[in-house]
């Protein structure tokens, strides 16, 4: 499973609240969202490496938040270039490998 996830990525479905900041605007107002997104293998590699190094749940959530900022919200640089997302809370999460 690990090799497959690191090569092909994984499907992430997450229900939580997100805070956003950008060069132009920022908000501490958490916004609830349910996101389903195919994360690339590079994110799985970062998550496995963090887990292997003893990263906390908060550290792993930050990896996911950074990846969601890059891949979902900024669409790999094609929009909202300076937007950063922070996971304020996770209600539930499902990862399909």
């Amino acid at each position: 499973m690990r090799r497959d996830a690191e090569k092909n990525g994984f499907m992430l479905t997450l229900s939580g609240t997100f805070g956003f900041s950008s060069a132009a605007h920022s908000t501490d107002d958490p916004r609830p969202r349910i996101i389903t997104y195919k994360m690339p293998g590079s994110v799985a590699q970062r998550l496995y490496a963090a887990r292997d190094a003893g990263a906390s749940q908060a550290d792993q959530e930050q990896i996911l938040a950074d990846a969601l900022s890059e891949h979902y919200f900024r669409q790999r640089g094609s929009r909202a270039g300076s937007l950063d997302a922070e996971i304020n809370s996770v209600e539930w999460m499902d990862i399909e490998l």
Side-chain angles (χ1 to χ4, degrees):
M1 279 196 303
R2 179 176 180 161
R3 282 186 189 167
D4 189 49
E6 291 180 334
K7 180 180 177 188
N8 300 314
F10 61 96
M11 187 62 70
L12 171 69
T13 302
L14 181 135
S15 174
T17 55
F18 294 83
F20 303 93
S21 63
S22 69
H25 301 85
S26 66
T27 179
D28 295 341
D29 232 0
R31 298 177 188 179
R33 291 191 184 228
I34 296 175
I35 296 172
T36 299
Y37 193 76
K38 171 83 177 196
M39 301 301 285
S42 60
V43 176
Q45 291 168 4
R46 291 194 311 243
L47 285 168
Y48 277 117
R51 185 195 67 179
D52 293 347
S56 68
Q57 180 175 334
D59 293 334
Q60 293 175 63
E61 286 177 359
Q62 187 59 52
I63 291 169
L64 285 174
D66 293 344
L68 285 169
S69 291
E70 178 184 351
H71 296 282
Y72 179 80
F73 293 108
R74 293 193 304 256
Q75 295 177 351
R76 297 182 196 120
S78 67
R79 72 177 196 89
S82 63
L83 180 76
D84 285 316
E86 175 182 310
I87 299 175
N88 296 104
S89 68
V90 175
E91 188 174 317
W92 56 265
M93 180 177 5
D94 183 49
I95 295 177
E96 294 178 43
L97 301 175

